[in-house]
Amino acid sequence: MQDVSLAIKNKGLRATPQRIAIYEALLPRKDHPSVEMLYNEIRSRFPSISLNTVYATLESLWHAELIQRLDVGDGRIRYDGNPRMHAHVVCTSCLRVDDLPQPSENTMLNLMRTAADVSQYRIDAGKLLFYGQCKACSADENATP
Amino acid sequence: MQDVSLAIKNKGLRATPQRIAIYEALLPRKDHPSVEMLYNEIRSRFPSISLNTVYATLESLWHAELIQRLDVGDGRIRYDGNPRMHAHVVCTSCLRVDDLPQPSENTMLNLMRTAADVSQYRIDAGKLLFYGQCKACSADENATP
DNA sequence: TATTACATAGTAACCATTATTGTTTAGTAG
DNA sequence: CTACTAAACAATAATGGTTACTATGTAATA
């Protein structure tokens, strides 16, 4: 509760009711919701909120490095309440996105360093995505061929 | 020349003049052009070609696994004449995209296998992207602060 | 209280991509 | 060579997530 408000203020942002609500809605979720998914959830408690505010707020939280922006290539951007670098898997059937515990953050940081060495770029961020089919979709496909 | 035509036919596609021209235009490039960039190049030799044909052709070549589709998140899709899995670096200033020789294809395939194990997904593809600033843009920034 | 800067809501515009449609071309069989 | 069938092409319109714009509201500062 107050943690959320404090975390926002600590980044130099105003802890408005809308921002607190959006951040609090995102944090417990593990399904990497899109803007519209969050918008629909927030609207039940915040009927007057605009879609635009959700866009702007998520961008602010992202710039403040409180959350992660995740473009998996399905046309809509997903958000992740965990700002630490980690890999993701995308189900190309149902488009769900899951976190991956492997490779570790250290391994990814090592990949980044290697990339910086060989490319001569200054590298700020990395993204590791896998695409395939989740267990549920594989089962469905076998059930109805 | 004939290689290109043959490669297309070997995938069961018709080797039309448009397809050959588009594929031949993409192959030597290392800058991962977008649809429009290729469209502009092709039009000089093929004034009547439509943008839509470039879209359709690139999708055909991609489905045939002759080329690679690359969504780096800048709004337009980039194409890579090399279909083998490899990492990329994106310059967030000038949006150029470069290939990375590291990590090796084997390393990436190992990452895929690990991801499949821990996620219980059937994994078909992987994507490793790094974001930062290329040498030229870093130099420009230091020159004009 | 006046000032200034940031937030929000609502609407309209943007733009890469995809869908649709009618036409043309290539490949194949008779 | 001609007819048939399927694929490819070109032109236009439509889609849809995102951004821009504008006006209004709210919080921090002097």
Side-chain angles (χ1 to χ4, degrees):
Chain A
M1 303 286 179
Q2 300 229 346
D3 302 341
V4 165
S5 171
L6 246 167
I8 294 174
K9 283 185 184 167
N10 282 342
K11 294 292 183 175
L13 298 175
R14 285 191 198 156
T16 65
Q18 289 93 332
R19 280 184 179 167
I20 293 167
I22 292 170
Y23 192 21
E24 275 181 348
L26 175 61
L27 273 176
R29 295 184 67 151
K30 296 190 171 177
D31 62 343
H32 306 80
S34 67
V35 173
E36 199 168 350
M37 289 160 83
L38 279 171
Y39 174 57
N40 288 332
E41 179 177 338
I42 306 285
R43 257 203 303 188
S44 59
R45 276 181 290 161
F46 237 107
S48 73
I49 204 168
S50 84
L51 180 60
N52 200 323
T53 298
V54 184
Y55 271 101
T57 298
L58 289 169
E59 186 159 321
S60 294
L61 297 175
W62 175 56
H63 277 133
E65 296 180 333
L66 287 169
I67 66 172
Q68 199 169 155
R69 200 174 210 256
L70 199 56
D71 183 351
V72 301
D74 73 328
R76 62 193 67 189
I77 285 165
R78 315 301 205 86
Y79 288 89
D80 188 334
N82 174 13
R84 312 288 292 272
M85 202 193 315
H86 57 284
H88 294 94
V89 235
V90 184
C91 176
T92 47
S93 295
C94 67
L95 295 180
R96 72 177 278 172
V97 179
D98 282 306
D99 288 321
L100 280 180
Q102 291 280 345
S104 69
E105 196 177 2
N106 269 339
T107 304
M108 296 200 57
L109 291 173
N110 280 333
L111 290 173
M112 265 180 67
R113 275 188 278 273
T114 307
D117 285 346
V118 299
S119 67
Q120 304 263 58
Y121 273 58
R122 170 175 58 72
I123 292 186
D124 306 315
K127 183 157 87 172
L128 180 53
L129 280 175
F130 296 100
Y131 295 87
Q133 201 168 38
C134 69
K135 228 178 169 182
C137 285
S138 297
D140 288 355
E141 207 165 74
N142 290 339
T144 57
Chain B
M1 306 283 181
Q2 300 228 349
D3 302 341
V4 165
S5 172
L6 246 167
I8 294 174
K9 282 185 183 166
N10 282 342
K11 294 290 184 177
L13 298 176
R14 284 191 202 160
T16 66
Q18 289 92 336
R19 279 184 180 166
I20 294 168
I22 291 169
Y23 192 21
E24 274 182 347
L26 175 61
L27 273 176
R29 296 184 66 151
K30 297 190 171 178
D31 62 342
H32 306 81
S34 67
V35 174
E36 199 168 350
M37 289 160 83
L38 280 171
Y39 175 57
N40 288 332
E41 179 176 340
I42 306 286
R43 259 202 301 188
S44 60
R45 274 181 292 161
F46 241 107
S48 73
I49 205 167
S50 84
L51 180 60
N52 197 318
T53 298
V54 184
Y55 271 100
T57 299
L58 289 169
E59 186 159 320
S60 296
L61 297 175
W62 175 56
H63 278 132
E65 296 180 335
L66 287 170
I67 65 172
Q68 198 170 157
R69 200 175 211 256
L70 198 58
D71 183 352
V72 301
D74 73 327
R76 60 194 67 188
I77 284 164
R78 314 300 206 84
Y79 288 89
D80 188 334
N82 174 13
R84 312 287 293 271
M85 202 194 314
H86 57 284
H88 294 93
V89 235
V90 184
C91 177
T92 47
S93 294
C94 66
L95 295 180
R96 72 177 278 172
V97 179
D98 281 307
D99 289 321
L100 280 181
Q102 292 279 346
S104 69
E105 196 176 2
N106 270 338
T107 304
M108 296 201 58
L109 291 173
N110 281 333
L111 291 174
M112 265 179 68
R113 275 188 279 273
T114 307
D117 284 345
V118 299
S119 68
Q120 305 262 58
Y121 274 57
R122 168 174 60 70
I123 292 186
D124 307 315
K127 183 158 87 171
L128 181 53
L129 281 175
F130 296 100
Y131 295 88
Q133 201 168 37
C134 70
K135 227 178 169 182
C137 285
S138 297
D140 285 357
E141 205 165 76
N142 290 339
T144 57

